[in-house]
Each structure stands twice: as C-alpha cells, then as structure tokens.
Amino acid sequence: MFKNYLLIALRNLKRNRIYSLINICGLAIGLAVFIFAAILTQYEKSHDIFFENAARIYTLGSVLSPQANYSVKEFDGVYTAIAPLLEAEATDIEATARIVQDEYLLTLGERGFYQKIKFADKALLKIFDFEYLAGDTSALDDPLGIALTETIAKKYFPAGNAMGKVISLNFHSKIDLRVTAVIRDIPRNSHFISSLIKDNPLEVIASLNALKQMDEFKLEGNWDNITTGDLTYVLLPSHLDGQWLEQQANDVFQRHASDDVKKFISGVKSRRLQDMNLVLWDAVGLPIITVVMGLGLMVLIIAGLNYTNLATAQAMDRAKEVGLRKTLGAKIGQLLIQFLVESVMITFIALLVALAMLEIIIPVFNDRFGKILSLDYFSLLPPLVIITFLIGLIAGAYPAYVITRVKPVDALKESLSKGLKRSLVRSAMIGAQFVFSVFLLAMVAVVTIQNEKIMKSSEIFPKSQIVTLQKTWVGDIPTRHDTLKREITALSGVENMTFSSQVPFIQQNWTFDASKNSGDIAGKVNLNRIMVEYDFLKTYDIPLIAGRDFSQEFANDMEKKESTVLNVIINETALKKLGFKSLHDALNKSFYQIFRDNEDGKKSRAYVIVGVMKDQNFLGLHNSIKPIVLRVHSQYYETASIRIKGKEFSATMREIERIWKKINPDYPIQVEYLDDIFNHMFKIYKSINIALAGFTVMALTLAFIGLFGLAAFMAAGRTKEIGIRKVMGAKTHQIVTLLIWQFSLPVLLALQVALPLSYFASDAYLNFFADRIESPIVMITGSGLVAVILSWLIVLTHAIRVSSRKPIHALRYE
Amino acid sequence: MLKLNNLCKVYQTEEVETTALDNINIDIEKGEFVAIMGPSGCGKSTLLNIIGMLDSPTSGEYHFLGDEIAHANEKQLANIRKKNIGFIFQSFNLIEELTVFENVELALLYNDVPSKERKERVTRVLDKVGIAHRAKHMPSQLSGGQQQRVAVARALVAEPAMILADEPTGNLDRAQGEEVMDMLKKLNEEGSTIIMVTHSPSHADYARRTINLFDGQVVTEMYRAAE
C-alpha cells in the first residue's frame, strides 16, 4: 500500500512538472532562508564557547540613566575603578581582568607600525585559556611583557622566533616591551574579533602595568570615563551566576560612585561572555537576533502557505482519482495518509534542494562577511527532519482534508463543488502571504529612505574632498604642526587645512559643564567641546550666522591651560541650551564653566561668544544635533583635515605623503578619507537594509510564485464559466477584470492589516534616529501599491491567455 | 441566412490528422428549423460550433448574412455572435454562482442594454418559458428541465436571429424533453431560425428539414412538409 502511495506521488510530480517545480522551489527557498537564519542566529549566539571557562565568564556593562540623554542605552564596559573594588569586596569572585585598548606606534629598528594593543590585568590569561605556541599564562607577570598572536608575530618577525625580542612603544618616551608569549590566532567566532563597534581584533596583549609606566593609567582605575571596547571580565566559581554578579557589582557601584557619576550611569549590568558579540545591538536597543529569526520564520510561513495553497489547487485535479479510490473501497483515513505521504515527500525533496542551496550560499556569505558559519549536518539534521516532517504534515493537511471530503459521485463526474474553487481559507492564505510581503516591502522602503536621509544630511560637510591625517599628536609630531600645515597648504591642489580634536562622524562626545551665570551650579548645562584650529570653519564649510571666525589677531582666541577668558564659537543649539534669547543677545556675551570634581584646577573660566555657527549634525547618523562649543587649543590637534580641490586628487595625495615623510620621517602617515570614516559607521544601517532587502526579495518571490501558480489554477477552475460568458458576448477585458477582481479582494484586505502594521513597526524604527523621516506613510502606501500592481500583472498574464482563447476550448465537455 | 461552401475541419495532433468535417455545403434560409443528425463522432457538434462561431473551419467559406466570416478573428466573431446567435447546450451551461435571473441577464449585460430595459426583458422571457417563479433560485436548485428552460430563456433574451441548440434534450427525461421541443417549435413559428443537433429521431421530427451526417460528410437531406 505504502509503495503504491509513493509511486502515485512520484508520478504526479512528474506529470505536473511546472507545479511540482513551483511547489518544491518555493518550499526550498523558504526552508533555506529559515535554516540560514537559524544557523546565523545560532552562530551569533554561540561566540566564545570554545574557551574552557566560557560558561563562567561574564562582562560588566553600564546602563545609562535616562537623564544622561545619550544616543545609546548602555555601554559595553564599566569604569575601570569597579573591578579592583569588586574583587576586594565580593571575595567569592575567582578573578577579574580589565582591558584598556589603544593604538600606539611600535618600532622594530627601522620599521614602524601603528598597532592596536589591549592592555590587560594579568588575570586575563587565567580567565581565557588562549592556546600558547610559545610562553605560557605567566606572560603578563613581567610588566613589560607582551603576548602576540601568531599572525602578528609573523608580521613583526618574519624570520621567526619572536620570543624574547624587544619591541619599542613610542610615546612621550620610548618603552621597550618584550615578547613573552605567542598565542594562536583567536577563532573568528569570538567577541575578541567580530565586535561590530570597533575594528580592533585581539592581536597584541600587554600589561596594564606598562600603561601605568607610561603615566596613562592608574592601577586602581578611575571614575572618569568609559571607553567603548574597554571591557571588564569576571570569572565566577561555578556555583554563582550572572544575577549574583550583577547584584554585587551594583552594590559596589552604589557604595563608591559619586553623585555626578550616578546621574550619568544608573547601574551595572552583567552579561554572559556568549552575548558579548551582540552588545552593539543591545546598546542601540535593536534585538537583532530575534528580528532575524522572526524574518526567517516569516519567510518559512509564507512558503508554507504558498505550498498549501498550490497543493490545494492541484488536489482539485485529482478529484477523479479520489473518487475512483473511494468507489473501490478506500477509507477516508487511507486517502488522508496517501495525500500526507505525498506532501511529506515533497517537503523532504524541498529540504534536499534547500541544503544544496545553502552549501553554495554559506561559503559565499562567509567569504563576504568574514564569518565561519557551517552546515553541521550532525547536529542540524535531527531538528531539521522533525521540522520538515511537521511542515509536510501541517501544509499538507488542508489540501488532504479538502480533497478527501469530495463525494465519489461528484469526483467521478468532475463537476467540482463551488467550495473547492473559491474557498475562504485559500483567500485567507493569499491574504496572509501578502500581509507579510507588503510589511517587509514597506520596511525596506522606510529603511532605505531613512538611510538616504542620513546619507544626504552627511553631505553638509564636503565629505568627498576631505582627507584626514590621523595620529598627529604622537611623539614630537606636534612641534612640527606649523611646518606641516605651511608646506601642505602651499600645494596647488590643497584648498585648506586644519587641525582638530575630532572630525565629523566620529562617535565621541567630549563634554564640559557650563552655565550662563557664573557659579550657577543649578543652572548648569552639558556642552560638547571640539578643539579646533583657525581654519576649521573654512575647511568644513560651516557657515557663521553671527559674529566672526577665529583669528590669530585675538590673543584670547587661543586656549591655554591657564586661560580664564576664552573666545569661542558656539552653535545655535548651544545658544538655546545656555538660555540666550537671540543672536544679538548672545554675541560677545559670556558663559562660565562649572568644573567637575575630576577636572583639575578648580578655577573660574569665562567663555566669550564671538561667533555663532549654523546647527549642523557633527556626529551625524542617528544622533541628534549636540550643543557644540568650538575652542582653539593646540594641545588637542589629534587629526589634520585637508580639503583637496580640483581633479588632481591622487597627485595631491602623493605630494602630501612626500611632505609628511620629509617632515616626520620617524612616523608612518595615517591617511583616512572622511568618506570612509562616515561609511564605517553607516555600514551598520546599510547592513540592516541589505538583510531586510534579502528577506523581502525572498518573501515577495514566494508570494508571487504562489500567486502565479494559483492564478493558473483558478483560471482553469473557471474555464467553463469563462466560456459561457464569452458565448454570451463578454469581451476579453471584461473577463480579465472578472479574474483580477477575484484576486484583488484578498490582496486589498491584506493591505488593511499590513499597512497599519508597517506603520507602527517603521515608526518604532525611525524613532531611533534623531533626524528621522517625518512620516513613513508615503513609503508604506507606495509598497502596498507596488504589491497590488505586481499581483495584478501576474494575474493579468493568465487572464489574458485564458480569455482570448476560442470559447469552444472552454466548453468542450464530452 | 447562412451558406457553407466546401467547409472542412481538420484536427491535428502530433501523430494523427482527423478530418471532422469534409467538404460540407449547406444553405440555410431565414425562418428554417433544421435538425442535424448522425452517430456519435460524425461531426455534428463540430458543425454546430462552427456555425455558432465558437470554432473556426480549417478551410472553405462561411457566409453569414452575406458576409464571409470563415477567416474573421475572435473579436469580430464575438461581435457578430452576440448580436445574432443564441445558444442552448446539452449540459445547460448555466453559471452556478449566479441566480436564474442573473444567468439570463448575462446575455443582455454584454450587449450593453440599459439596466431598466434588461429587467423588463428578462422578466418577460422568463415568463415566456414558464420559469419566472424561480428567478431568484440558483441553478443547482432546479431540475434538469427547469435548467434547460432557463438556458432557452437566456438564448432568447437578446432576440437573436438564429438559435443553435446542441442536443438540448440529451440530459432530460422524455416529458421534459418534449416540453423543450414544444418550446423550440413555438419559437420557430414565431419567426426564429433554429438549428439543432440531436440523437433522437422523434425530436428531429419537430424540424422541417433534417441533415444526416456520417464521417464528416452530408449523407442525406430530408424535408418535411409543413403540417
């Protein structure tokens, strides 16, 4: 009996090749997308598990207080002061280790490299069992010892044997570091490598003691700043968990943090090591894993509905077979089993196709995105087989039920009941597919337009003309800033050049407190400061709306450590925030710094507003416009911005490099284009868009494949009616209208659900952006319209074919 | 009314060529009642379909009301068809989703008759075939004879010059069959041209003229004197 079922199933597949193909492809696409989403989320959730202590390692993060008014909800790290306090007060903790990372110039004889270094407490090597190719966990016991990864060791010491070699770190003075360990490269699925926030893979580990010797760090840590990427790790004994740790860490925080700190940070949060690589998404409040899984599931449901719908339509053709089997004594149960066997068989064929697709897609994806996803059949197959089996049962249940209900006499006569042709259930299934498709399409449209907006508003700065030179504060470079600027600006291809502490799109907020009236602590406001040089406004095309630009003619324009009166330029937001009523009211007036506990020299300082610049979004992207105060301060010239004019871009760049080499022969030039700086942050939004677009293309393809197949079946089901109408004199366009209307109803109803849904979802997404699209309604209705028109076109192709045939084809009944 | 000259219809599949109609020459005048008879597969229905412009001949000429239409396209045919021809089928071919009234109305709907006039004419014709009391029923609620009466009403409502009936009594019992035949006869007496395909010699007797087909050819033609 079972063999007979399989045989019939196979023959049916062969007989209806087109529909079988549509069925299997649709289901395969759905399964492939779902499996991919599952593998991806599993991969992202299982980072770092290869460390022996993974389950016992936690990191501490900071939750921002609501009044901090910051663009993110939390930081991935905590103040460096917390770890030593925690270790002293919560004695059950096995170990803590902090990492402070920064980029320094390393020299080996003649060669120099800018290298990102992770300075760590030596316990880091106890917490993480790195694989040692040379040396051991005592590598950081020597304050000047460093551990290199295999790749970096090969880069610095191509001849081999890095152990014991000396590398100089150039800071104010040279410090000689000694290689005490070489570790194997960290696998890609570790937060040490794949963090989205900063491109700083773990390559060199040094001791925090070295940083202390450089006077850049105190071992007891500080309560001054939290730097993204500087993490605090805690190793717990196996009987304690993250909740306990969070409690302990919060107790320490509450006992030791000052009120000012508590105003900014409301508490400490513990996070499992496994969750660390997703910390960025936590920070922006986007549950990316849930979203990806949700989208994958959505596509699978669409594929399932699609399959059910087509299978039901196809089952109508089988009415005669069912009737015959019933006449020959088949029981309903037996028929149900037959159809379910068929359905399950098709889903398994689809599974095979899906796995074949993934075998192709995953290597491409890995290559493109630097991940190491894999199809691990051993662990994947059992759940997949179960899921596929269930899909086969669920998706096949409805068509099986419908077809086996047919009365044998009706089935044999092939005059199918009305219910089979136009069922509510099937219209509802088309509707559901469209709800998902329109929703996804609308979201893509909204994300795309919002990205466009970010992109466009970034163009207030002459982004593509600006080249930045980084690390202009290193070593004795600052003593030659003037020479550098003089020679570079003399180049014919250079329009302007300026130094500054920060360039647009760098996500940094350096702030200070000030108030309109001297000493008015209650009325203090938080202002962003950017340290600049004289030509800053000109280089960046920032328009002044009142007052004057900075000039060397005014001594008070240049800030010195002891300045008590300083001329500044502020933006409109700062002006309002400080409480000035108008430009006129503010110009040449002063406001006063309120010094924080940690700011040395608690003296008074007045800032005189000599210019007001137009509000521009200096941080760009999702940020709101910050109150900005520009101050000329040569100690903070960390970056040089050069504006290049004309078409001789590369020639000018070569000249700039030549000048740099001549003036700063000991330091490699660090060029970064402003465009790239912007794109580095922008790629996060872009990748959201790409991912969403990928899912949408899949969903829409499925929905339209389904509609295409269904339209064919429905038109076939109405062949006779169409024939009669034609004999009665109906014109082609009247028949086409009739058929299109049949599909329009579920599609239009679907819009009623999809449009409001998209509205709320996109509104929630847009709220993340300070400078958001006013209303997503145009994009959403546009998406609805696109879906409707596309579905009409698909139905139209069938309708025209059917209705332009000679009526006799439709009426032949013998 | 219509004139067929050397009309042929050939069906071609990959392997075989079947000649359904072979050199048919027929002349039908206005007001005639013609029965087409013959065994199964002799080409009766094919001939009727071509006369009804539901299908096109492979070769030969077809003059309808003086125009040569054997090679007209589907759009032109549809236009002539809806103005001049009413159809009655063996299997009634009513649309199951529409009521009796709506089924009959369909023919007028596609002839752009205004709504008020449509209503009057449908009511009148339903009355004429004696099915007015069932106007709001669905076809599936009617007996075969009643359904065929609806089909007759539909064929009549546009007041066509010619009515084509393809075994109109084939699916009916004897009493119902005779009822329908009486109706057709009456219509003919009122002036309609009727061409009917039938298996039944007794029903063919209602017609004035009988054409016998065999293997796609006209074998005999027989005229009956007026009663």
Side-chain angles (χ1 to χ4, degrees):
Chain A
M1 190 55 119
F2 198 73
K3 201 175 136 205
N4 180 279
Y5 292 158
L6 283 178
L7 215 60
I8 289 262
L10 273 176
R11 283 184 188 154
N12 261 307
L13 281 181
K14 254 167 93 179
R15 195 161 57 97
N16 300 311
R17 276 191 206 95
I18 294 286
Y19 298 114
S20 307
L21 203 68
I22 290 179
N23 256 344
I24 292 173
C25 283
L27 211 51
I29 291 173
L31 276 168
V33 170
F34 176 76
I35 297 169
F36 184 77
I39 294 178
L40 183 62
T41 52
Q42 190 52 37
Y43 172 80
E44 295 294 343
K45 284 201 312 205
S46 65
H47 271 46
D48 297 298
I49 50 173
F50 46 82
F51 287 114
E52 195 190 337
N53 296 329
R56 296 194 285 132
I57 302 173
Y58 294 84
T59 65
L60 295 177
S62 307
V63 180
L64 282 125
S65 79
Q67 73 242 44
N69 196 16
Y70 215 72
S71 61
V72 294
K73 291 175 181 155
E74 50 187 83
F75 291 135
D76 54 352
V78 290
Y79 293 104
T80 45
I82 289 181
L85 292 168
L86 187 64
E87 205 171 326
E89 295 173 26
T91 48
D92 282 343
I93 286 174
E94 264 190 47
T96 68
R98 295 161 293 175
I99 283 187
V100 174
Q101 51 195 3
D102 215 330
E103 196 172 25
Y104 288 99
L105 180 63
L106 296 184
T107 51
L108 289 113
E110 292 293 282
R111 295 183 303 150
F113 304 92
Y114 278 105
Q115 174 64 52
K116 283 178 177 147
I117 301 174
K118 292 185 193 280
F119 296 91
D121 287 315
K122 64 180 183 186
L124 187 81
L125 304 186
K126 308 243 165 8
I127 296 175
F128 292 98
D129 56 324
F130 297 117
E131 198 181 328
Y132 293 88
L133 298 172
D136 54 35
T137 52
S138 66
L140 297 184
D141 291 357
D142 175 354
L144 296 179
I146 54 171
L148 308 181
T149 60
E150 200 180 349
T151 308
I152 289 297
K154 276 201 189 108
K155 179 179 164 193
Y156 289 168
F157 305 101
N161 199 16
M163 279 297 280
K165 296 271 167 55
V166 169
I167 301 177
S168 304
L169 189 157
N170 296 52
F171 196 54
H172 299 304
S173 59
K174 269 193 179 170
I175 294 178
D176 286 343
L177 301 170
R178 205 169 57 86
V179 180
T180 47
V182 176
I183 59 172
R184 201 178 282 290
D185 286 352
I186 312 286
R188 282 189 174 280
N189 52 338
S190 164
H191 78 288
F192 283 124
I193 302 284
S194 72
S195 165
L196 261 171
I197 299 177
K198 278 184 170 178
D199 272 334
N200 51 355
L202 185 148
E203 292 175 338
V204 175
I205 308 173
S207 167
L208 274 171
N209 281 304
L211 209 55
K212 184 188 157 210
Q213 285 196 15
M214 290 152 62
D215 262 343
E216 284 288 287
F217 190 74
K218 295 175 200 149
L219 283 184
E220 67 269 26
N222 67 55
W223 290 99
D224 297 342
N225 60 64
I226 301 173
T227 307
T228 307
D230 287 0
L231 300 178
T232 298
Y233 300 95
V234 179
L235 180 66
L236 293 182
S238 46
H239 67 277
L240 293 172
D241 62 4
Q243 224 176 340
W244 176 85
L245 173 63
E246 194 162 301
Q247 185 59 49
Q248 298 297 317
N250 270 308
D251 289 349
V252 167
F253 178 80
Q254 293 303 337
R255 276 199 292 276
H256 297 278
S258 70
D259 287 346
D260 265 358
V261 164
K262 285 178 190 160
K263 249 183 235 164
F264 185 53
I265 299 293
S266 66
V268 181
K269 178 174 173 170
S270 77
R271 184 179 269 113
R272 297 187 315 159
L273 182 64
Q274 256 171 285
D275 299 332
M276 263 320 285
N277 75 311
L278 296 171
V279 70
L280 169 82
W281 304 105
D282 283 352
V284 299
L286 190 70
I288 191 72
I289 289 297
T290 321
V291 169
V292 167
M293 211 50 237
L295 290 174
L297 197 63
M298 220 186 238
V299 172
L300 184 64
I301 292 174
I302 292 180
L305 288 174
N306 204 8
Y307 171 75
T308 307
N309 227 340
L310 282 173
T312 314
Q314 211 183 337
M316 282 164 27
D317 276 0
R318 309 267 302 273
K320 201 165 186 174
E321 181 200 326
V322 171
L324 209 60
R325 282 178 185 271
K326 278 194 178 174
T327 325
L328 294 176
K331 293 199 189 74
I332 289 213
Q334 290 171 317
L335 287 167
L336 274 177
I337 290 173
Q338 182 198 337
F339 277 88
L340 288 178
V341 165
E342 256 189 69
S343 170
V344 169
M345 195 176 89
I346 290 176
T347 43
F348 272 96
I349 295 176
L351 176 64
L352 286 182
V353 177
L355 291 176
M357 287 178 184
L358 289 172
E359 285 287 357
I360 298 170
I361 293 165
I362 285 182
V364 176
F365 178 84
N366 282 344
D367 197 43
R368 176 80 180 67
F369 294 96
K371 301 199 184 261
I372 43 168
L373 304 191
S374 65
L375 269 173
D376 174 12
Y377 289 107
F378 188 71
S379 63
L380 215 54
L381 274 183
L384 272 186
V385 165
I386 294 170
I387 289 173
T388 309
F389 188 74
L390 285 178
I391 293 171
L393 283 189
I394 295 168
Y398 181 70
Y401 163 76
V402 169
I403 191 66
T404 49
R405 231 180 19 160
V406 172
K407 281 197 206 112
V409 59
D410 290 340
L412 283 174
K413 269 202 286 185
E414 260 191 306
S415 71
L416 292 172
S417 73
K418 205 164 60 178
L420 265 178
K421 270 189 261 175
R422 294 184 213 167
S423 99
L424 197 67
V425 180
R426 291 174 56 202
S427 291
M429 285 192 284
I430 297 194
Q433 283 188 43
F434 265 83
V435 169
F436 288 133
S437 305
V438 170
F439 174 76
L440 285 174
L441 195 61
M443 290 308 289
V444 171
V446 168
V447 173
T448 306
I449 304 282
Q450 177 63 36
N451 279 357
E452 282 294 306
K453 194 179 170 87
I454 295 175
M455 191 67 163
K456 207 162 170 210
S457 61
S458 76
E459 269 149 23
I460 46 165
F461 301 110
K463 198 158 58 125
S464 56
Q465 296 171 25
I466 287 182
V467 175
T468 69
L469 304 182
Q470 303 286 327
K471 311 266 170 222
T472 51
W473 53 271
V474 175
D476 55 357
I477 296 176
T479 58
R480 294 184 293 275
H481 278 170
D482 289 342
T483 325
L484 192 67
K485 181 168 176 178
R486 195 169 348 104
E487 296 212 10
I488 288 178
T489 44
L491 292 172
S492 63
V494 171
E495 197 170 323
N496 255 315
M497 176 168 168
T498 187
F499 289 97
S500 58
S501 60
Q502 198 176 339
V503 294
F505 316 124
I506 294 285
Q507 304 294 299
Q508 273 178 2
N509 286 286
W510 289 101
T511 63
F512 68 103
D513 295 332
S515 61
K516 194 175 165 187
N517 301 311
S518 178
D520 177 13
I521 293 174
K524 78 173 179 193
V525 292
N526 195 244
L527 303 172
N528 283 42
R529 64 139 177 85
I530 297 168
M531 305 305 197
V532 300
E533 201 214 341
Y534 296 105
D535 290 326
F536 189 80
L537 293 186
K538 268 186 252 155
T539 308
Y540 278 101
D541 263 353
I542 301 171
L544 276 174
I545 51 176
R548 61 166 178 89
D549 198 351
F550 290 121
S551 161
Q552 276 165 307
E553 290 167 32
F554 302 91
N556 279 348
D557 280 9
M558 171 64 83
E559 177 172 342
K560 294 181 190 65
K561 208 161 184 191
E562 65 280 4
S563 297
T564 51
V565 178
L566 182 66
N567 294 340
V568 294
I569 293 175
I570 66 173
N571 69 354
E572 296 165 274
T573 302
L575 179 129
K576 276 181 222 128
K577 209 167 170 192
L578 280 164
F580 291 104
K581 288 190 183 63
S582 66
L583 290 173
H584 182 75
D585 183 31
L587 216 53
N588 298 318
K589 297 279 166 46
S590 300
F591 60 93
Y592 302 87
Q593 181 155 4
I594 306 287
F595 287 87
R596 297 172 187 165
D597 300 342
N598 54 16
E599 280 165 334
D600 39 330
K602 288 179 191 159
K603 56 200 166 198
S604 69
R605 178 185 272 178
Y607 293 95
V608 182
I609 302 168
V610 295
V612 179
M613 60 177 179
K614 208 165 146 50
D615 264 345
Q616 289 186 335
N617 201 337
F618 200 74
L619 297 182
L621 303 157
H622 61 275
N623 298 282
S624 56
I625 293 178
K626 303 279 191 270
I628 289 175
V629 177
L630 299 185
R631 292 155 45 175
V632 179
H633 196 324
S634 62
Q635 295 272 295
Y636 290 85
Y637 291 169
E638 294 175 9
T639 308
S641 306
I642 303 168
R643 183 156 172 195
I644 292 177
K645 63 184 171 192
K647 292 186 184 110
E648 300 293 308
F649 206 93
S650 49
T652 308
M653 278 314 297
R654 276 197 299 277
E655 285 296 294
I656 291 171
E657 277 169 38
R658 185 184 57 77
I659 292 169
W660 176 277
K661 243 181 218 149
K662 191 183 78 188
I663 297 174
N664 298 310
D666 297 337
Y667 303 90
I669 186 169
Q670 292 280 97
V671 177
E672 261 190 77
Y673 296 93
L674 192 60
D675 259 336
D676 293 341
I677 294 174
F678 171 76
N679 286 332
H680 182 70
M681 284 311 288
F682 188 57
K683 76 177 179 199
I684 294 171
Y685 306 112
K686 244 174 155 171
S687 59
I688 292 177
N689 203 5
I690 291 171
L692 207 55
F695 280 115
T696 307
V697 167
M698 292 300 169
L700 274 182
T701 311
L702 284 175
F704 287 126
I705 285 178
L707 194 63
F708 183 81
L710 205 59
F713 271 115
M714 287 223 178
R718 294 181 76 172
T719 305
K720 186 178 152 200
E721 180 194 337
I722 290 166
I724 298 170
R725 286 180 186 270
K726 288 201 70 172
V727 170
M728 292 299 123
K731 293 200 187 74
T732 302
H733 75 89
Q734 287 167 316
I735 302 284
V736 169
T737 318
L738 188 79
L739 288 174
I740 283 184
W741 179 240
Q742 186 184 353
F743 283 95
S744 300
L745 207 62
V747 171
L748 291 177
L749 284 175
L751 288 185
Q752 312 263 319
V753 181
L755 296 186
L757 202 66
S758 319
Y759 182 82
F760 291 120
S762 52
D763 204 51
Y765 175 77
L766 290 174
N767 274 337
F768 175 64
F769 298 91
D771 182 22
R772 56 164 274 184
I773 311 166
E774 294 276 322
S775 157
I777 286 177
V778 178
M779 279 73 85
I780 290 171
T781 44
S783 311
L785 213 60
V786 167
V788 169
I789 289 173
L790 280 177
S791 64
W792 276 351
L793 285 179
I794 283 171
V795 178
L796 198 66
T797 53
H798 281 291
I800 288 178
R801 198 168 50 85
V802 169
S803 58
S804 56
R805 267 190 297 185
K806 288 209 174 297
I808 190 64
H809 290 292
L811 286 178
R812 191 162 288 145
Y813 48 84
E814 272 160 335
Chain B
M1 179 116 211
L2 66 89
K3 193 175 163 78
L4 307 178
N5 285 338
N6 304 323
L7 195 87
C8 293
K9 178 74 183 177
V10 179
Y11 290 110
Q12 219 153 1
T13 63
E14 275 169 38
E15 287 125 27
V16 279
E17 200 180 272
T18 320
T19 306
L21 295 176
D22 187 3
N23 238 348
I24 302 282
N25 291 288
I26 296 175
D27 226 326
I28 293 172
E29 297 299 324
K30 196 170 184 306
E32 275 197 85
F33 189 161
V34 181
I36 300 173
M37 287 192 69
S40 286
C42 71
K44 307 185 294 286
S45 291
T46 306
L47 179 60
L48 196 74
N49 286 334
I50 289 175
I51 292 175
M53 299 169 211
L54 299 179
D55 205 351
S56 294
T58 314
S59 65
E61 291 170 15
Y62 178 10
H63 296 274
F64 185 80
L65 295 173
D67 297 322
E68 211 298 299
I69 57 158
H71 305 289
N73 65 27
E74 171 56 26
K75 201 175 163 189
Q76 294 164 322
L77 291 177
N79 257 322
I80 305 170
R81 198 165 58 214
K82 75 176 175 189
K83 286 197 191 99
N84 298 296
I85 308 178
F87 291 89
I88 302 167
F89 301 94
Q90 174 179 4
S91 54
F92 325 134
N93 277 344
L94 299 175
I95 296 177
E96 287 167 32
E97 290 84 357
L98 302 180
T99 63
V100 165
F101 186 95
E102 288 161 346
N103 261 293
V104 176
E105 192 186 20
L106 210 57
L108 297 177
L109 209 61
Y110 291 127
N111 270 312
D112 299 324
V113 176
S115 149
K116 201 175 149 206
E117 189 188 336
R118 276 205 310 267
K119 210 174 162 202
E120 286 167 10
R121 282 170 69 173
V122 173
T123 315
R124 206 183 321 135
V125 77
L126 284 177
D127 220 26
K128 190 171 174 180
V129 301
I131 200 86
H133 60 293
R134 294 286 192 141
K136 283 187 182 147
H137 287 77
M138 304 304 276
S140 56
Q141 297 169 300
L142 306 183
S143 73
Q146 286 171 322
Q147 287 193 42
Q148 194 59 300
R149 274 197 250 176
V150 177
V152 171
R154 188 179 60 183
L156 288 182
V157 73
E159 292 165 7
M162 180 165 84
I163 291 173
L164 302 183
D166 193 353
E167 301 199 33
T169 57
N171 282 6
L172 303 176
D173 64 27
R174 204 172 145 262
Q176 288 174 334
E178 272 171 14
E179 233 174 81
V180 169
M181 287 315 299
D182 284 333
M183 208 148 54
L184 289 180
K185 193 177 170 202
K186 201 165 147 233
L187 286 172
N188 177 245
E189 284 161 8
E190 286 167 16
S192 295
T193 310
I194 296 177
I195 306 174
M196 171 181 77
V197 165
T198 180
H199 268 304
S200 153
S202 64
H203 289 167
D205 286 346
Y206 282 84
R208 297 273 184 76
R209 172 182 173 194
T210 304
I211 297 170
N212 281 301
L213 283 187
F214 187 77
D215 267 1
Q217 291 179 316
V218 177
V219 194
T220 53
E221 280 196 58
M222 190 179 82
Y223 289 86
R224 230 176 313 278
E227 287 165 27

